[in-house]
Amino acid sequence: MDISSLLAPLNQAQRKAVAAPLGHHLVLAGAGSGKTRVLTHRIAWLIQSQGISPSNLLAVTFTNKGAGEMKERIENLLATPINAMWVGTFHGLTHRLLRIHWQEAQLPQAFQVLDSEDQYRLIRQVLQNLNLDEDRWSPRKIQWFINSHKDKGLRPQHIEDGDNANTWQMIRIYHNYQDYCNRNGLVDFAELLLRAYELWRNHAPLLSHYQNRFTHILIDEFQDTNAIQYAWLQLLAGDKGALFIVGDDDQAIYGWRGARVENIQQLTQDFPTIGITRLEQNYRSTQIILAAANAVIAHNAERLGKNLWTQDQGGELIQIYRAFDERDEARFIVERSLAWQAQGRARADIAVLYRSNAQSRVLEEMLLQARIPYRIHGGLRFFERAEIKDTFAYLRLMIHRDNDPAFARIVNTPPRGIGDRTLAQIREKAQQAQISLWQATTQLIITRYLPQRAMHALYEFQQLIENITIAIEEFSLPQKIELTLNRSGLLSHYQKDSSERGQSRLENLKELMNAAAQFKPEEPHLNLLSAFLAHTTLESDDNTSSEGWEDCVQLMTLHAAKGLEFPLVFITGMEEGLFPSPKSLDEPTGLEEERRLCYVGMTRARNHLYLIHADQRRLYGSNSCPKPSRFIREIPAKLICELRPQTYTPINSPITHKPEWNLVANNTDFQFGQRVRHHKFGEGTILDLEGEGDAIKIQVNFNQIGPKWLSLTYAKLQII
DNA sequence: CTCCTAAATATTTTT
DNA sequence: TATTTAGGAG
């Protein structure tokens, strides 16, 4: 393949970015403007046309999934594998570094990565050790305190308590937590980044080695980077490294977890030679949808400025539905989804977006009732499920006896008579002798310091672990897991639970063995089992069982929708007090972030966009009568079509499950996909419209007799 | 250890 | 409202 065919499918701006001179370059890429394409083509261009070796490239993506996809696309473009290139998330890449340079990073070779739940448990443990009350010192707050400081590159000794007793105590807890992690070779997510940063900062030869290696650094979703990631990047880039950065300040929606949009502006100051390209032509949405999204985001003051446009003209108006309550909102979505299906369109084309997960329940209920298959994105991830983590805890303990979190998790799972009292004694011993829980247990058994029963149970437990360790040695990865499940009694423990939950647990364990069978390591530095364990904490893989999801309506939060697109999008709960969320209104930047979230949601839609708000909503048990979201009012009236409910309850039918609503619009036409009733043919769905004025004809697919053309002037059609 | 009741608590989430 | 969790009784 030659260069011209690499650049040929691109528009002018995209081409400018892809073939930009070999220096720093910043691409401000609006939604749907083909940013992934630019990034992959840039990499292909560097390799192919500039003769740069893949081993000189480092590419950073926001998610692991994104990393996999990017690699695949580049390999397709070049028709050759590019294994020498490093592609991954910040966490994935720093983890890789730390595995290679564990000695310089002052970590044990077998260091373990803690996920958020592990971290949370550990913090609670530390609080207990310090004799602090959980009600006074909320573990969640502490977790946030620790992570947000690590995200800024701050160790406990760098934080000023400002003569505040509260802060002083928090710092003390952070300190204790960190000491514990260091003693036990535990590394949380934020620590991966901070450690890797310090590794380079403190080891000049190492840094210059990587500076020489990675001469071209490419980063996606830059608006979501935090301070430590930026600092890490600055180190790596040094004086010579060329940065190619892609981002969109209007899609920065992770400020609440430390992401800094300002990093984009910072970049232009720190790297003054940086070239800038704006990608503003959108290939996704209709002109109407873009105009509406542009109008909303224009209300933000803090912007670099960008205006999306499309070659297409017109499109369907943004439909606003004012529902009676959250059930009516869901009912409306069901109705429209059925109509969509009746047109022969795929359910997977439909996305239902909401601000908070709690809103999904009513939607699920109604979809279930209407027998519409749906899929919820997000929620509990596969590798975070309790049964999976229990299994891993056994494996971890077998690899490394001193793994305290693993020990604590499974000493009594399944129950084997080792209660809280016994565990507390083990903990006390461990703390006082500065040894691991496992060692403390051994000590307690030797000194016969415990009641007979507990001692016996503990002895049995240790024997169990020793025995399984030996037993599984020679087996393959999935067999190891299976044996562990059997011998530990975990499997029969879960089998005893015949509830629906127990069933799904067993299925998950089966799925786990599948995943293990398919696992191929990319880390040569670890044995297979350790590599698999590290992989699973770093990759949340929500597509583990993606095959089962044929054609489903897609339900997800607005955050989870970033990067996706759908022909038909519903944004629900467009109400003050829900979206924008009241908690965001405390700080001025909060509202702007909510508005960006709205912008992200709207720009997910290709052709049809529905914004729904309810007059009344029950959330967390209490009722409220919210006002429509300000974001709706920020859309120019001419882009909107309002669908309003009319007469609520007819006098002669006291119970109406389906409130009737009607189309009241400047636009008196019927719409595609709408349900109508004919006095003779019954109910049906509008498939097509033809002609103008009096000659207008309409095709309706009736439930009983199938599709039929009718003249609108004669057929008295009633919208239902 | 298991079962029960009472209490707390619920924005967004990838790594 | 509903779901998870902590604590107490049996």
Short mmCIF file of all heavy atoms in Angstrom, two decimals, chain A residues 64 91 116 355 357 381 540 557 583, chain B residues 1-2 9-15:
data_model
loop_
_atom_site.label_atom_id
_atom_site.label_comp_id
_atom_site.label_asym_id
_atom_site.label_seq_id
_atom_site.Cartn_x
_atom_site.Cartn_y
_atom_site.Cartn_z
N ASN A 64 -8.90 -0.29 27.81
CA ASN A 64 -8.22 -1.45 27.24
C ASN A 64 -8.86 -1.89 25.93
O ASN A 64 -8.19 -2.32 25.01
CB ASN A 64 -8.26 -2.62 28.23
CG ASN A 64 -7.31 -2.39 29.37
OD1 ASN A 64 -6.13 -2.17 29.15
ND2 ASN A 64 -7.82 -2.41 30.58
N HIS A 91 -2.56 3.05 32.75
CA HIS A 91 -2.36 2.06 33.81
C HIS A 91 -1.69 0.80 33.26
O HIS A 91 -0.78 0.26 33.89
CB HIS A 91 -3.69 1.72 34.47
CG HIS A 91 -4.27 2.84 35.25
ND1 HIS A 91 -5.09 3.80 34.69
CD2 HIS A 91 -4.13 3.18 36.55
CE1 HIS A 91 -5.42 4.67 35.62
NE2 HIS A 91 -4.86 4.33 36.77
N SER A 116 -10.19 -1.28 43.08
CA SER A 116 -10.79 -0.33 44.03
C SER A 116 -11.39 -1.03 45.23
O SER A 116 -11.32 -0.51 46.34
CB SER A 116 -11.91 0.48 43.37
OG SER A 116 -11.61 0.72 42.06
N ARG A 355 -28.82 9.63 33.36
CA ARG A 355 -27.76 10.26 34.13
C ARG A 355 -27.23 9.35 35.23
O ARG A 355 -26.06 9.29 35.50
CB ARG A 355 -28.30 11.57 34.74
CG ARG A 355 -27.36 12.34 35.65
CD ARG A 355 -26.20 12.92 34.89
NE ARG A 355 -24.95 12.34 35.33
CZ ARG A 355 -24.12 12.90 36.19
NH1 ARG A 355 -24.38 14.09 36.68
NH2 ARG A 355 -23.03 12.29 36.56
N ASN A 357 -27.54 5.44 37.35
CA ASN A 357 -27.92 4.04 37.20
C ASN A 357 -29.28 3.71 37.79
O ASN A 357 -29.97 2.82 37.31
CB ASN A 357 -26.87 3.14 37.84
CG ASN A 357 -25.64 3.03 36.98
OD1 ASN A 357 -25.74 2.76 35.79
ND2 ASN A 357 -24.48 3.27 37.57
N ARG A 381 -18.76 -5.46 36.94
CA ARG A 381 -17.97 -6.09 35.91
C ARG A 381 -17.61 -7.52 36.27
O ARG A 381 -17.61 -7.89 37.43
CB ARG A 381 -16.71 -5.28 35.67
CG ARG A 381 -17.06 -4.03 34.96
CD ARG A 381 -15.98 -3.02 34.88
NE ARG A 381 -16.60 -1.75 34.64
CZ ARG A 381 -17.31 -1.46 33.56
NH1 ARG A 381 -17.49 -2.35 32.62
NH2 ARG A 381 -17.85 -0.29 33.42
N SER A 540 -11.17 -4.76 32.79
CA SER A 540 -12.48 -5.03 33.36
C SER A 540 -13.41 -5.73 32.37
O SER A 540 -14.50 -6.13 32.74
CB SER A 540 -13.11 -3.74 33.83
OG SER A 540 -13.20 -2.87 32.73
N THR A 557 -25.51 4.61 31.06
CA THR A 557 -25.40 5.98 31.54
C THR A 557 -24.82 6.84 30.43
O THR A 557 -24.22 6.33 29.48
CB THR A 557 -24.45 6.09 32.74
OG1 THR A 557 -23.15 5.68 32.32
CG2 THR A 557 -24.91 5.24 33.90
N LYS A 583 -25.83 17.76 42.67
CA LYS A 583 -24.53 17.74 43.33
C LYS A 583 -23.46 18.44 42.50
O LYS A 583 -22.41 18.79 43.00
CB LYS A 583 -24.11 16.30 43.60
CG LYS A 583 -24.96 15.69 44.68
CD LYS A 583 -24.39 14.42 45.23
CE LYS A 583 -25.32 13.94 46.33
NZ LYS A 583 -25.20 12.54 46.64
P DC B 1 -18.27 -19.97 60.84
OP1 DC B 1 -18.04 -20.35 59.43
OP2 DC B 1 -18.26 -18.56 61.19
"O5'" DC B 1 -19.71 -20.58 61.23
"C5'" DC B 1 -20.02 -21.85 60.75
"C4'" DC B 1 -21.48 -21.90 60.45
"O4'" DC B 1 -22.22 -21.52 61.64
"C3'" DC B 1 -21.97 -20.94 59.36
"O3'" DC B 1 -22.98 -21.59 58.61
"C2'" DC B 1 -22.52 -19.77 60.11
"C1'" DC B 1 -23.09 -20.43 61.36
N1 DC B 1 -23.07 -19.53 62.54
C2 DC B 1 -24.21 -19.46 63.37
O2 DC B 1 -25.18 -20.16 63.09
N3 DC B 1 -24.21 -18.64 64.44
C4 DC B 1 -23.13 -17.90 64.70
N4 DC B 1 -23.18 -17.10 65.78
C5 DC B 1 -21.96 -17.97 63.90
C6 DC B 1 -21.98 -18.78 62.83
P DT B 2 -23.56 -20.89 57.28
OP1 DT B 2 -23.25 -21.80 56.18
OP2 DT B 2 -23.12 -19.49 57.23
"O5'" DT B 2 -25.14 -20.90 57.51
"C5'" DT B 2 -25.69 -21.59 58.62
"C4'" DT B 2 -27.05 -20.99 58.94
"O4'" DT B 2 -26.94 -20.14 60.12
"C3'" DT B 2 -27.67 -20.10 57.86
"O3'" DT B 2 -29.06 -20.36 57.83
"C2'" DT B 2 -27.37 -18.70 58.33
"C1'" DT B 2 -27.48 -18.87 59.84
N1 DT B 2 -26.70 -17.90 60.66
C2 DT B 2 -27.24 -17.47 61.86
O2 DT B 2 -28.32 -17.82 62.27
N3 DT B 2 -26.45 -16.60 62.55
C4 DT B 2 -25.20 -16.12 62.19
O4 DT B 2 -24.60 -15.34 62.90
C5 DT B 2 -24.71 -16.61 60.92
C7 DT B 2 -23.38 -16.15 60.42
C6 DT B 2 -25.47 -17.47 60.22
P DT B 9 -24.65 6.16 56.05
OP1 DT B 9 -23.19 6.06 56.16
OP2 DT B 9 -25.39 7.30 56.64
"O5'" DT B 9 -25.06 6.07 54.50
"C5'" DT B 9 -24.71 4.90 53.76
"C4'" DT B 9 -25.50 4.89 52.48
"O4'" DT B 9 -26.81 4.33 52.70
"C3'" DT B 9 -25.74 6.30 51.91
"O3'" DT B 9 -25.35 6.31 50.57
"C2'" DT B 9 -27.23 6.47 52.01
"C1'" DT B 9 -27.70 5.04 51.85
N1 DT B 9 -29.08 4.80 52.27
C2 DT B 9 -29.81 3.84 51.60
O2 DT B 9 -29.35 3.17 50.70
N3 DT B 9 -31.10 3.69 52.03
C4 DT B 9 -31.72 4.40 53.05
O4 DT B 9 -32.88 4.17 53.34
C5 DT B 9 -30.90 5.39 53.71
C7 DT B 9 -31.48 6.21 54.80
C6 DT B 9 -29.64 5.54 53.29
P DA B 10 -24.51 7.45 49.99
OP1 DA B 10 -23.11 7.18 50.30
OP2 DA B 10 -25.16 8.70 50.45
"O5'" DA B 10 -24.73 7.36 48.43
"C5'" DA B 10 -24.65 6.09 47.77
"C4'" DA B 10 -25.79 5.97 46.78
"O4'" DA B 10 -26.90 5.33 47.41
"C3'" DA B 10 -26.36 7.30 46.34
"O3'" DA B 10 -25.59 7.86 45.29
"C2'" DA B 10 -27.74 6.90 45.83
"C1'" DA B 10 -28.08 5.72 46.74
N9 DA B 10 -29.08 6.04 47.77
C8 DA B 10 -29.01 6.99 48.75
N7 DA B 10 -30.06 7.03 49.53
C5 DA B 10 -30.88 6.03 49.02
C6 DA B 10 -32.15 5.55 49.38
N6 DA B 10 -32.85 6.03 50.41
N1 DA B 10 -32.68 4.54 48.66
C2 DA B 10 -31.99 4.05 47.64
N3 DA B 10 -30.79 4.41 47.20
C4 DA B 10 -30.28 5.42 47.94
P DT B 11 -25.49 9.41 45.28
OP1 DT B 11 -24.47 9.90 46.21
OP2 DT B 11 -26.85 9.96 45.32
"O5'" DT B 11 -24.94 9.54 43.79
"C5'" DT B 11 -25.68 10.26 42.94
"C4'" DT B 11 -25.71 9.65 41.57
"O4'" DT B 11 -25.35 10.73 40.74
"C3'" DT B 11 -24.73 8.53 41.33
"O3'" DT B 11 -25.17 7.80 40.21
"C2'" DT B 11 -23.46 9.29 41.03
"C1'" DT B 11 -23.98 10.58 40.38
N1 DT B 11 -23.28 11.78 40.87
C2 DT B 11 -23.11 12.80 40.00
O2 DT B 11 -23.53 12.76 38.87
N3 DT B 11 -22.43 13.86 40.51
C4 DT B 11 -21.93 14.01 41.78
O4 DT B 11 -21.33 15.01 42.11
C5 DT B 11 -22.15 12.89 42.65
C7 DT B 11 -21.65 12.95 44.06
C6 DT B 11 -22.80 11.85 42.17
P DT B 12 -24.38 6.53 39.74
OP1 DT B 12 -25.36 5.69 39.04
OP2 DT B 12 -23.55 5.98 40.84
"O5'" DT B 12 -23.40 7.15 38.67
"C5'" DT B 12 -23.92 7.55 37.41
"C4'" DT B 12 -22.82 8.17 36.61
"O4'" DT B 12 -22.45 9.41 37.24
"C3'" DT B 12 -21.53 7.35 36.58
"O3'" DT B 12 -21.48 6.69 35.35
"C2'" DT B 12 -20.41 8.35 36.69
"C1'" DT B 12 -21.09 9.67 36.96
N1 DT B 12 -20.56 10.38 38.15
C2 DT B 12 -20.43 11.74 38.09
O2 DT B 12 -20.72 12.38 37.11
N3 DT B 12 -19.92 12.32 39.23
C4 DT B 12 -19.55 11.68 40.40
O4 DT B 12 -19.12 12.32 41.33
C5 DT B 12 -19.73 10.25 40.40
C7 DT B 12 -19.39 9.47 41.61
C6 DT B 12 -20.22 9.68 39.29
P DT B 13 -21.25 5.13 35.43
OP1 DT B 13 -21.87 4.62 34.22
OP2 DT B 13 -21.63 4.60 36.75
"O5'" DT B 13 -19.69 4.98 35.31
"C5'" DT B 13 -18.92 5.69 34.38
"C4'" DT B 13 -17.49 5.26 34.56
"O4'" DT B 13 -16.94 5.91 35.72
"C3'" DT B 13 -17.34 3.76 34.79
"O3'" DT B 13 -16.28 3.26 34.00
"C2'" DT B 13 -16.98 3.62 36.25
"C1'" DT B 13 -16.37 4.96 36.60
N1 DT B 13 -16.70 5.36 37.98
C2 DT B 13 -15.73 5.93 38.75
O2 DT B 13 -14.61 6.13 38.35
N3 DT B 13 -16.13 6.25 40.02
C4 DT B 13 -17.38 6.06 40.57
O4 DT B 13 -17.61 6.38 41.71
C5 DT B 13 -18.36 5.47 39.69
C7 DT B 13 -19.73 5.22 40.19
C6 DT B 13 -17.97 5.16 38.46
P DT B 14 -16.33 1.80 33.55
OP1 DT B 14 -17.58 1.56 32.83
OP2 DT B 14 -16.00 0.92 34.68
"O5'" DT B 14 -15.13 1.70 32.51
"C5'" DT B 14 -14.63 2.86 31.88
"C4'" DT B 14 -13.15 2.95 32.16
"O4'" DT B 14 -12.95 3.70 33.37
"C3'" DT B 14 -12.48 1.60 32.39
"O3'" DT B 14 -11.45 1.43 31.45
"C2'" DT B 14 -11.96 1.63 33.81
"C1'" DT B 14 -11.93 3.10 34.14
N1 DT B 14 -12.28 3.38 35.55
C2 DT B 14 -11.63 4.40 36.19
O2 DT B 14 -10.77 5.08 35.64
N3 DT B 14 -12.00 4.60 37.47
C4 DT B 14 -12.96 3.90 38.19
O4 DT B 14 -13.21 4.18 39.35
C5 DT B 14 -13.61 2.83 37.47
C7 DT B 14 -14.65 2.00 38.15
C6 DT B 14 -13.24 2.64 36.21
P DT B 15 -10.68 0.06 31.47
OP1 DT B 15 -10.03 -0.05 30.17
OP2 DT B 15 -11.64 -0.98 31.93
"O5'" DT B 15 -9.54 0.23 32.56
"C5'" DT B 15 -8.60 1.30 32.33
"C4'" DT B 15 -7.66 1.38 33.49
"O4'" DT B 15 -8.36 1.96 34.62
"C3'" DT B 15 -7.08 0.05 33.97
"O3'" DT B 15 -5.67 0.08 33.84
"C2'" DT B 15 -7.47 -0.06 35.43
"C1'" DT B 15 -7.88 1.35 35.79
N1 DT B 15 -8.95 1.43 36.79
C2 DT B 15 -8.87 2.41 37.74
O2 DT B 15 -7.96 3.22 37.78
N3 DT B 15 -9.87 2.41 38.65
C4 DT B 15 -10.96 1.55 38.69
O4 DT B 15 -11.80 1.65 39.56
C5 DT B 15 -11.00 0.55 37.65
C7 DT B 15 -12.11 -0.42 37.60
C6 DT B 15 -10.00 0.55 36.77
#
